[in-house]
């Protein structure tokens, strides 16, 4: 099993959700986060005063998938989150040792399947 963590632009969330579902992922967790990276923030004007926003809003997706569909899910995220501009995000992939569904006690692949 793999744990895929993707940090993307909030505007791309719906497209990524559709693509990930189509690729075979049966569920995911979404968290609103703020981040700082190569994009370096942006300058905004509020009531005539200019100020710099360093931490930009992003969306973090956490998706546990069987190893055999991990590449398809990663490709789906990459394809649907890409705008071609700086700040599109990152994808991190880690081995997932164990998963357990609390309600039924199902473990590993059975715990993350639909």
């Amino acid at each position: 099993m793999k744990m895929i963590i993707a940090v993307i632009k909030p505007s791309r969330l719906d497209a990524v959700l559709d693509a990930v579902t189509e690729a075979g992922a049966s569920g995911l967790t979404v968290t609103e986060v703020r981040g700082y990276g190569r994009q370096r923030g942006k300058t905004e004007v509020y009531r005539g005063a200019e100020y710099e926003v360093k931490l930009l809003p992003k969306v973090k997706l956490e998706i546990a998938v069987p190893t055999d569909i991990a590449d398809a899910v990663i490709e789906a995220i990459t394809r649907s989150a890409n705008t071609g501009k700086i700040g599109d995000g990152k994808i991190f992939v880690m081995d997932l040792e164990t998963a357990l569904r609390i309600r039924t006690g199902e473990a590993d692949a059975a715990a993350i399947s639909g």
Side-chain angles (χ1 to χ4, degrees):
M1 295 180 304
K2 300 288 184 182
M3 174 62 80
I4 300 169
I5 299 173
V7 180
I8 62 169
K9 290 181 175 182
S11 62
R12 302 303 304 153
L13 179 59
D14 288 336
V16 171
L17 290 176
D18 292 342
V20 165
T21 302
E22 193 174 299
S26 62
L28 56 93
T29 301
V30 177
T31 309
E32 292 180 4
V33 296
R34 297 184 337 157
Y36 175 83
R38 287 181 47 202
Q39 201 171 357
R40 301 279 189 235
K42 62 183 176 180
T43 303
E44 293 192 1
V45 177
Y46 178 71
R47 293 188 177 184
E50 191 173 290
Y51 66 98
E52 187 176 7
V53 178
K54 289 189 179 190
L55 296 174
L56 298 176
K58 300 289 181 177
V59 176
K60 179 176 153 183
L61 308 173
E62 297 171 289
I63 312 164
V65 296
T67 302
D68 60 332
I69 68 164
D71 288 338
V73 171
I74 293 164
E75 172 59 30
I77 296 168
T78 303
R79 185 175 13 89
S80 57
N82 186 6
T83 65
K85 298 179 183 169
I86 194 166
D88 278 348
K90 296 267 191 310
I91 299 173
F92 306 97
V93 182
M94 295 171 264
D95 289 325
L96 181 59
E97 188 174 321
T98 303
L100 182 70
R101 181 172 285 153
I102 295 172
R103 179 178 55 87
T104 62
E106 293 170 304
D108 300 330
I112 61 173
S113 66

